[in-house]
Amino acid sequence: MTVQPDIGSVRLPDLPHWEEIPDDLPAAIVEIKQALRARIQASGRSVEDVFAVIELRVHALVDDVLIARARGESVWPVIEYTDIANSTVTAEQLAYLRRRGCLVVRGHFDHDQARAWDRGIVDYVESNRFFENYRGPGDDFFASVGSTPEIYPIYWSPAQMQARQSDRTATVQRFLNHLWVSESSGVRWFDPDRDSLYPDRIRRRPQGAHSAGLGTHLDPGTLDLWMTRGYQQAFRHLFDGTVEAYDPWDAAHRTDGPQYPGSTMCSAFRTFQGWTALSDMDHDQGVLHTVPIPEAMGYLMLRPLLPDVDEDDMCGVTVNQVFPADGKHHALLLEALSGIPDVRAGDSVWWHCDMIHSVAPVRDQKGWGNVMYIPAAPWCPRNERYARSVLGAFLAGDSPSDFPEEHYERTWPNRFTVHDLNDTGRRGLGLTS
Ligand SMILES: [Fe+2]
């Protein structure tokens, strides 16, 4: 058994950091890997020892998923919206949610409301001749075959804004945010009771569609996760000999730092990624999968430091590309990849912002596969900064600055307006505090 060092008495070497993308990426990767190893070793532990601690912890959670699956149990926690709203979620449900880091909220919205929003989106885009004017995918991340979009680069429809600013969404976001430690060391890292209304797109995948899906990846960042001061502090326990204290629900130092720019970036801090279903979807129709283990992030962060990875390689992570999780370096984690259960229009789906996820391929899809992407992005310095640019985009009908500059909605007369905002909407956009 390893004795944990008393690092209070040890002066650990500082880490180099790059607040902007380094000019020489391979050289910076070599430098940061050496520095991270030196810091771990100065704490009195080896990289292999620290990695083994995380591996053991994650291994037990992978086994837990595999056992649940073998028993035919749902791997994804499912909680009724009414239980969240009435504070009748049990301690057992909460513990399961915390263990898995993902959730289906049943009946987040009424089925009829979600179906009406789905029709409203069709009316919105058709009345503005979107399909006639569509210029093809603005980025290659979600590129689909042909010219009919699956991902609509539409942000300001009444349906989306009504869902974002609804009391029911605020209730679910508040519930999820409170799973995190939002305050520590006398700092309030974020406000769990106020959301910043992060605007994202819509997916409408028609029945009969063939889709290759999306491979296993993560969204929180790329090389900035190792190379910027903020993230180095956020992941401090992995690199200072106190790996046992690593807590994936600790928001300390996560809500201020910069992120390296890229075509798939998210400027906001999201506690959870999420979407709301606008159609009924069966579990085998090309749906979302996750590795339902928040602690796996510790594994992903330490894995590149092992000796079988080239010195200038971070297991394939680089800037301007999504963070990949692959069978070569992360085979243990991918064993736990688990899809959502059947969902109905009006249910919402959420997963911890650090978790590996993918979208399964589908052929000849049964029914529609329609979702509005609405995450939980609580108010914090980082999200307040981004909210300023979001407000400008909202008023002008622009694409938000995290997304390709497509700006389809600028001239659309029936988009959601500032007069349609309720109090939650105004607070989310920073118009009132
Ligand atoms: Fe993603």
Side-chain angles (χ1 to χ4, degrees):
M1 186 178 160
T2 308
V3 178
Q4 207 177 316
D6 171 16
I7 62 154
S9 59
V10 179
R11 173 88 177 100
L12 299 178
D14 290 333
L15 296 172
H17 59 98
W18 295 261
E19 299 310 296
E20 289 173 9
I21 297 174
D23 293 331
D24 186 341
L25 274 182
I29 292 174
V30 170
E31 192 179 339
I32 193 63
K33 283 173 71 162
Q34 285 174 354
L36 290 168
R37 287 197 197 103
R39 190 172 166 85
I40 291 170
Q41 275 152 12
S43 76
R45 305 180 81 166
S46 69
V47 171
E48 284 79 359
D49 166 39
V50 167
F51 182 74
V53 171
I54 282 283
E55 191 178 31
L56 201 66
R57 196 166 152 192
V58 169
H59 210 305
L61 291 162
V62 170
D63 286 347
D64 185 65
V65 169
L66 298 183
I67 289 166
R69 201 186 290 158
R71 285 192 192 130
E73 295 168 6
S74 171
V75 169
W76 275 68
V78 177
I79 296 180
E80 296 287 335
Y81 172 78
T82 48
D83 283 329
I84 295 173
N86 298 330
S87 301
T88 49
V89 177
T90 66
E92 194 181 2
Q93 283 176 305
L94 264 181
Y96 194 49
L97 166 56
R98 196 177 284 278
R99 176 150 37 112
R100 294 281 195 255
C102 55
L103 176 67
V104 173
V105 177
R106 288 273 183 239
H108 179 151
F109 292 108
D110 288 343
H111 191 259
D112 289 349
Q113 169 69 82
R115 301 287 300 121
W117 275 335
D118 193 47
R119 285 192 302 277
I121 287 166
V122 173
D123 290 345
Y124 180 64
V125 296
E126 284 186 348
S127 66
N128 290 296
R129 303 177 56 80
F130 170 65
F131 297 110
E132 290 87 335
N133 296 321
Y134 182 60
R135 298 183 294 269
D139 62 30
D140 56 10
F141 188 62
F142 287 114
S144 54
V145 287
S147 62
T148 306
E150 272 180 12
I151 301 291
Y152 292 17
I154 300 303
Y155 306 90
W156 309 119
S157 67
Q160 286 161 290
M161 285 300 290
Q162 284 165 14
R164 287 176 195 141
Q165 71 170 9
S166 89
D167 289 347
R168 296 173 81 94
T169 296
T171 298
V172 173
Q173 288 165 331
R174 193 177 304 124
F175 169 74
L176 293 168
N177 289 339
H178 278 279
L179 293 168
W180 284 71
V181 179
S182 59
E183 213 169 324
S184 59
S185 312
V187 181
R188 193 187 209 201
W189 301 103
F190 68 78
D191 178 351
D193 301 322
R194 179 179 178 184
D195 191 73
S196 67
L197 253 65
Y198 186 81
D200 203 328
R201 305 182 271 197
I202 292 161
R203 188 194 74 188
R204 297 192 85 252
R205 210 169 59 201
Q207 43 199 339
H210 305 313
S211 169
L214 276 180
T216 43
H217 69 279
L218 292 81
D219 295 336
T222 59
L223 290 177
D224 38 14
L225 297 169
W226 291 272
M227 291 185 174
T228 59
R229 189 85 190 105
Y231 277 123
Q232 288 171 355
Q233 290 177 287
F235 293 114
R236 63 201 175 282
H237 292 298
L238 301 176
F239 306 125
D240 71 1
T242 59
V243 62
E244 287 81 359
Y246 167 64
D247 175 8
W249 302 99
D250 176 5
H253 305 286
R254 292 198 65 143
T255 58
D256 199 16
Q259 190 186 22
Y260 290 165
S263 60
T264 60
M265 77 178 299
C266 175
S267 297
F269 166 68
R270 293 178 287 198
T271 52
F272 281 78
Q273 307 262 50
W275 49 254
T276 301
L278 296 179
S279 63
D280 299 350
M281 285 174 272
D282 288 350
H283 67 279
D284 55 358
Q285 297 301 307
V287 298
L288 177 80
H289 284 56
T290 62
V291 173
I293 302 173
E295 288 83 351
M297 191 61 182
Y299 186 108
L300 290 150
M301 292 298 294
L302 288 165
R303 183 67 183 84
L305 305 184
L306 293 188
D308 66 328
V309 183
D310 287 345
E311 269 310 281
D312 62 354
D313 178 20
M314 278 294 192
C315 298
V317 180
T318 189
V319 295
N320 216 10
Q321 281 180 29
V322 77
F323 185 140
D326 63 49
K328 184 175 169 199
H329 300 106
H330 314 118
L332 170 67
L333 308 179
L334 299 188
E335 282 181 52
L337 189 68
S338 303
I340 57 170
D342 295 350
V343 292
R344 302 227 318 138
D347 294 344
S348 61
V349 171
W350 305 85
W351 65 104
H352 184 293
C353 59
D354 287 348
M355 283 196 340
I356 299 168
H357 54 285
S358 67
V359 180
V362 63
R363 288 196 64 74
D364 193 16
Q365 181 178 285
K366 193 176 104 192
W368 283 80
N370 302 347
V371 307
M372 287 192 273
Y373 298 102
I374 302 178
W379 204 253
C380 61
R382 187 167 156 182
N383 293 356
E384 183 174 354
R385 266 197 304 278
Y386 187 60
R388 275 182 226 129
S389 97
V390 166
L391 175 62
F394 167 65
L395 295 173
D398 289 351
S399 304
S401 57
D402 271 357
F403 295 89
E405 295 179 35
E406 295 169 284
H407 308 310
Y408 284 105
E409 297 167 86
R410 277 179 179 168
T411 58
W412 294 10
N414 46 352
R415 67 173 196 259
F416 195 84
T417 73
V418 71
H419 307 293
D420 303 319
L421 290 169
N422 65 14
D423 193 47
T424 302
R426 280 190 292 274
R427 290 183 81 215
L429 292 169
L431 286 168
T432 54
S433 56

